Amino acid sequence: MITFNVTEATNDVSVVTFKLTPYLSFAHSETGVVEDYTYEVTKAELPKIDSRKAVVICGEGPAWVTGYLVEKFDHCRWTGVWDVFLGGAVVVSNNRGGLSEGSIVKV
């Protein structure tokens, strides 16, 4: 199951936190079939984000989920991915200038 939580970091930045539970795929010992959460994630109702705002994505799950959400929120002012080691969001998509990809934004 995937869940979303949206918080407003500032007036201009929304943070979308996701959690995919369980977020590790595993193989059934009897059938050898690997659990696949692709359908569940791609059919989930995404939170509504004002496109005039920037969005930062962070969460628990495989890297492809973060990539999928970056694509889905590409309509926003800019999109960043939270990096715990850098202590900020790394801008990965920018639609309105001002920040370049790779910029680190403290939120």
Side-chain angles (χ1 to χ4, degrees), residues 28-50:
H28 289 285
S29 59
E30 293 178 17
T31 63
V33 175
V34 175
E35 289 290 328
D36 184 4
Y37 300 103
T38 306
Y39 178 82
E40 181 179 328
V41 171
T42 59
K43 298 303 179 194
E45 184 175 339
L46 299 175
K48 306 292 187 237
I49 302 294
D50 184 343

Side-chain angles (χ1 to χ4, degrees), residues 4-103:
F4 298 100
N5 184 40
V6 179
T7 56
E8 303 304 317
T10 67
N11 289 338
D12 296 333
V13 180
S14 296
V15 177
V16 175
T17 305
F18 71 91
K19 185 171 186 175
L20 185 61
T21 351
Y23 69 90
L24 295 176
S25 297
F26 61 93
H28 289 285
S29 59
E30 293 178 17
T31 63
V33 175
V34 175
E35 289 290 328
D36 184 4
Y37 300 103
T38 306
Y39 178 82
E40 181 179 328
V41 171
T42 59
K43 298 303 179 194
E45 184 175 339
L46 299 175
K48 306 292 187 237
I49 302 294
D50 184 343
S51 64
R52 296 172 293 184
K53 291 186 171 192
V55 66
V56 174
I57 299 167
C58 61
E60 296 179 33
W64 69 264
V65 175
T66 302
Y68 174 79
L69 294 173
V70 166
E71 179 185 352
K72 293 299 179 183
F73 291 114
D74 190 50
H75 65 280
C76 293
R77 184 171 160 210
W78 57 263
T79 306
V81 175
W82 179 255
D83 187 311
V84 67
F85 299 108
L86 296 174
V90 179
V91 176
V92 294
S93 174
N94 183 7
N95 292 318
R96 298 198 181 76
L99 293 174
S100 57
E101 285 80 359
S103 298

